[in-house]
Amino acid sequence: MKLSTQISYVVKVFGFEEGVRLLHRAGYDALDLSLFCMKLDDCEYISDGWRECVESRRSFCDKEGIVFNQAHAPFAFRWEDPKVYEEIAQPRVLRSIEIAAMMGVDVIVVHPLHNAEYKGHEAEMHELNLKYYRSLIPYCREYGIKVAVENMWQTDRKRRCISDDVASRAADLAAYIDELDSEWIVACLDLGHCGLVGEEAQDAIRILGHDRLRALHVHDNNYREDNHTLPGMGMMDWDAICSALHDIGYAGEFTFEADAFLHRFGKDFLETAVRFMVQNGRYLIGKIGL
């Protein structure tokens, strides 16, 4: 099982080339192409020379032996605004799929549409997102890349606490994969999001099973906040999670989304912290035993 991680924080600190080189040197097998900067108009992937930028980065990574296995499309837009949706958000998501494919990525995580209030609109949001993901399948075929649906959460607007959202429960996420019934749409289980809505990650893994679950976002939390920290720094049961991944014969890769762990360290200590993250990941993969 390959160990990978998102690149956003390290690349922010060191720049793309030195950042991915550091992560590779620390021992990661592959990297997750974090395309969050595409929400910004000055992101290099939005510029007129975006294609040349991607080609240059792919050439650099090939020479360095750096592999990208997974990616994450941008999502922090005002999706509820039709003008933003049509002219900015969705075009950038589609470009991110092409960019990920150009970088050799197998699976890109694309968040469901979930800016509207979920409670009381469950069926409406389900149908909206079935239509949305079906619209992405032609692009998957064109670029030869799978899209992963992620389990989400939202904040209850009255109680100001975390509540259910699109695909937040494993049974709902499984329903999307089954109803879409496409080789191009798979499940990404964000392990930390499970407990935030009251479902244990190990139970969600077993509900999704081997055939649906193809990607992970691995991080820990305190069951109250989306901490995105390293496993062992929160309250999640990693023995049970690893056992569940073993029991379903999980065939995907082990991808950290735990960069918040790195935020507490200075630039001169980051490589040491990254190496510790790698050791943590290797330990957990060993417990999975596949």
Side-chain angles (χ1 to χ4, degrees):
M1 184 184 299
K2 288 182 180 178
L3 175 65
S4 69
T5 185
Q6 67 179 44
I7 66 171
S8 55
Y9 185 68
V10 173
V11 165
K12 179 181 178 181
V13 173
F14 291 99
F16 181 85
E17 291 190 0
E18 185 53 36
V20 298
R21 187 187 279 126
L22 182 153
L23 293 166
H24 179 63
R25 185 168 64 241
Y28 281 107
D29 302 311
L31 300 176
D32 181 306
L33 185 64
S34 312
L35 294 169
F36 309 135
C37 77
M38 292 181 71
K39 69 181 181 180
L40 304 172
D41 292 339
D42 62 353
C43 174
E44 58 270 26
Y45 298 126
I46 304 303
S47 70
D48 291 340
W50 70 270
R51 191 176 296 277
E52 290 77 11
C53 172
V54 176
E55 290 171 348
S56 174
R57 289 180 174 183
R58 176 64 189 267
S59 177
F60 168 80
C61 290
D62 286 348
K63 289 176 183 176
E64 296 284 330
I66 297 170
V67 175
F68 282 88
N69 67 313
Q70 196 165 300
H72 201 311
F75 57 87
F77 302 105
R78 291 176 52 239
W79 290 90
E80 69 279 6
D81 184 328
K83 186 177 178 65
V84 171
Y85 177 98
E86 294 172 8
E87 298 181 9
I88 299 175
Q90 190 57 6
R92 293 186 187 184
V93 168
L94 297 179
R95 181 177 291 185
S96 76
I97 295 173
E98 183 176 2
I99 290 170
M102 290 173 68
M103 291 296 290
V105 167
D106 297 319
V107 177
I108 181 169
V109 176
V110 177
H111 280 189
L113 303 177
H114 70 121
N115 290 72
E117 186 172 2
Y118 183 68
K119 187 176 181 181
H121 303 279
E122 294 88 346
E124 175 187 344
M125 295 302 292
H126 187 79
E127 290 304 315
L128 176 67
N129 277 287
L130 286 176
K131 181 179 179 180
Y132 179 62
Y133 283 108
R134 287 189 181 112
S135 76
L136 299 180
I137 292 174
Y139 299 94
C140 295
R141 291 196 183 104
E142 180 178 356
Y143 301 127
I145 185 172
K146 291 179 171 61
V147 161
V149 185
E150 181 178 354
N151 52 312
M152 305 308 299
W153 58 269
Q154 66 178 222
T155 301
D156 186 293
R157 297 177 184 181
K158 292 181 179 179
R159 296 182 297 133
R160 307 305 302 168
C161 64
I162 289 174
S163 62
D164 283 331
D165 198 353
V166 175
S168 60
R169 304 278 175 166
D172 295 331
L173 180 53
Y176 277 106
I177 306 308
D178 293 346
E179 290 179 64
L180 290 163
D181 190 26
S182 170
E183 62 178 304
W184 299 106
I185 307 295
V186 299
C188 172
L189 185 66
D190 186 300
L191 300 178
H193 289 179
C194 297
L196 296 179
V197 298
E199 183 172 60
E200 294 293 346
Q202 56 268 28
D203 296 335
I205 289 166
R206 289 193 167 89
I207 291 168
L208 288 167
H210 175 274
D211 293 341
R212 301 186 190 95
L213 183 57
R214 299 297 180 87
L216 296 174
H217 283 165
V218 180
H219 55 97
D220 207 339
N221 63 42
N222 60 9
Y223 283 79
R224 300 183 304 279
E225 302 161 295
D226 198 16
N227 303 125
H228 282 271
T229 192
L230 195 63
M233 303 293 290
M235 298 171 60
M236 294 167 61
D237 187 340
W238 291 96
D239 285 342
I241 290 168
C242 291
S243 292
L245 289 168
H246 172 85
D247 290 348
I248 70 164
Y250 174 62
E253 292 160 1
F254 196 87
T255 301
F256 277 134
E257 199 179 45
D259 274 13
F261 171 75
L262 298 174
H263 295 177
R264 66 191 68 197
F265 303 111
K267 183 176 180 179
D268 59 343
F269 195 76
L270 268 184
E271 185 160 0
T272 300
V274 168
R275 289 185 183 277
F276 178 69
M277 289 183 72
V278 170
Q279 292 173 347
N280 179 288
R282 295 289 180 210
Y283 169 73
L284 293 173
I285 288 173
K287 293 178 76 68
I288 296 168
L290 294 173

